[in-house]
Amino acid sequence: MSKIAIVYWSGTGNTEMMAKEVAAGVQAAGGDASVFATSDFSADAATVFDKFALGCPAMGAEELEDSEFQPLYEQIKPALSGKKVVLFGSYGWGGGEYMNTWKNDAASAGLVLVDDPLAIENAPDDDGKSKCQELGKVLALA
């Protein structure tokens, strides 16, 4: 069974909520999910896991959060090359364009994106929670 790390940063709780729903989807599909805030994860820990769900909201001018998430992401990218990954996050006023930039960066770094990234405006409603769970199931079965 694959060990899946769900690593996220959340300022308002929206992306944290998404991370928990992704984990529920992984577990519903029979996967082994561990959920980590960025402050609880390290580049060394990345070597222990087979697959990853990475979550970050849009910040500023449609960018990844740059004090915790972006530095960790840069550190773990080499370890994630060739591994199966999904991306998720929430956004507010910007429209979620940051997710396309992040997707392109992940693909060029060799991450194997097993599904389209999931960007949800503000807090996930019931439909958004279902989409998060589906994302987790896709990752678990990939």
Side-chain angles (χ1 to χ4, degrees):
M1 177 187 309
S2 296
K3 291 182 68 175
I4 300 172
I6 300 166
V7 183
Y8 73 91
W9 185 89
S10 188
T12 63
N14 295 341
T15 302
E16 178 179 14
M17 189 182 313
M18 292 177 72
K20 290 176 180 176
E21 295 296 335
V22 171
V26 167
Q27 292 163 348
D32 178 14
S34 299
V35 181
F36 301 93
T38 53
S39 58
D40 299 325
F41 199 76
S42 69
D44 290 339
T47 62
V48 176
F49 294 91
D50 306 304
K51 300 177 185 177
F52 294 82
L54 303 176
C56 186
M59 301 295 288
E62 288 285 304
E63 300 166 336
L64 296 175
E65 190 279 328
D66 66 359
S67 65
E68 284 187 41
F69 188 86
Q70 183 74 39
L72 177 66
Y73 175 60
E74 294 300 327
Q75 289 174 357
I76 66 174
K77 258 197 292 193
L80 302 186
S81 181
K83 293 194 178 183
K84 295 177 180 177
V85 177
V86 294
L87 308 176
F88 66 93
S90 62
Y91 63 92
W93 55 269
E97 183 58 35
Y98 82 108
M99 193 59 78
N100 291 326
T101 304
W102 188 13
K103 174 184 175 180
N104 293 336
D105 179 78
S108 65
L111 283 64
V112 179
L113 299 175
V114 297
D115 203 357
D116 288 332
L118 178 61
I120 293 178
E121 186 175 7
N122 299 315
D125 57 12
D126 288 343
D127 181 56
K129 290 177 183 177
S130 293
K131 289 177 179 175
C132 291
Q133 290 174 19
E134 187 59 33
L135 188 67
K137 288 176 186 174
V138 168
L139 180 60
L141 299 172

